[in-house]
Amino acid sequence: MNSIQVKQEFDAPVEQVFDLLSKHATYNVAFAPVQVVRVKDAADPERPDGLGSIRRMGFGPIKPIQEQITYLDVNKRIEYKLIKNPLIKHHIGIIEFEELSPNKTRVNYTIELQARAPFVSKLILAQLKLAITLGFKKLAKSVA
């Protein structure tokens, strides 16, 4: 299984960083010009972007990528999976939050991916690693 890992430190409390990264709309800022919209709310009305929620990603009216939140442990971990994508056999994202001090948080973001076509997985993962690294740097500056 191919995977990548991105680590980023934020000069903010873990609660603030978790709150930021647990909202689908945050990824509009992190990964612009890619657009992210929630298309299905979670069962918990207090956390509509939480467990069971589904987001779509893409450009303008074309948003072919769908991800569903499959696990959420507040201030600790978020997991999601890609759904309904004929080109990807397996895609899991894991975002872990680690409090380094009261005002410093490390985020560890791991993605496992297996495309249906050979050699495509590494190419997709390389692009994702670059986008996530740049996006997380941008978000870290926004909370500092």
Side-chain angles (χ1 to χ4, degrees):
M1 184 66 52
N2 294 301
S3 68
I4 58 164
Q5 187 171 65
V6 174
K7 295 182 181 196
Q8 177 67 51
E9 290 185 9
F10 290 77
D11 292 325
V14 70
E15 297 84 8
Q16 183 182 349
V17 177
F18 182 87
D19 187 56
L20 180 71
L21 294 177
S22 66
K23 291 188 170 80
H24 299 321
T26 296
Y27 298 92
N28 286 313
V29 175
F31 304 130
V34 172
Q35 298 164 333
V36 181
V37 294
R38 183 178 64 239
V39 294
K40 180 184 176 205
D41 290 357
D44 180 358
E46 298 292 315
R47 197 178 287 281
D49 291 336
L51 185 63
S53 69
I54 296 175
R55 60 185 172 220
R56 290 185 79 109
M57 295 182 285
F59 301 94
I62 302 171
K63 294 182 178 64
I65 299 170
Q66 288 189 78
E67 294 176 339
Q68 182 173 34
I69 304 299
T70 56
Y71 180 83
L72 190 132
D73 187 355
V74 176
N75 299 332
K76 294 187 174 116
R77 187 178 178 112
I78 299 169
E79 293 181 18
Y80 66 87
K81 67 179 180 178
L82 196 67
I83 58 174
K84 299 179 184 171
N85 189 313
L87 304 176
I88 305 296
K89 196 183 290 188
H90 173 82
H91 176 115
I92 300 287
I94 301 165
I95 306 170
E96 297 173 296
F97 302 82
E98 179 184 357
E99 181 180 72
L100 300 177
S101 70
N103 285 310
K104 192 174 243 350
T105 303
R106 178 182 299 132
V107 174
N108 298 312
Y109 191 160
T110 304
I111 294 178
E112 296 176 357
L113 184 135
Q114 184 177 358
R116 295 201 185 276
F119 309 110
V120 175
S121 299
K122 289 183 181 182
L123 179 65
I124 294 170
L125 285 169
Q127 293 298 313
L128 285 171
K129 184 165 188 164
L130 178 63
I132 292 165
T133 300
L134 294 173
F136 273 23
K137 286 184 188 306
K138 189 189 312 182
L139 288 176
K141 287 178 185 169
S142 77
V143 297

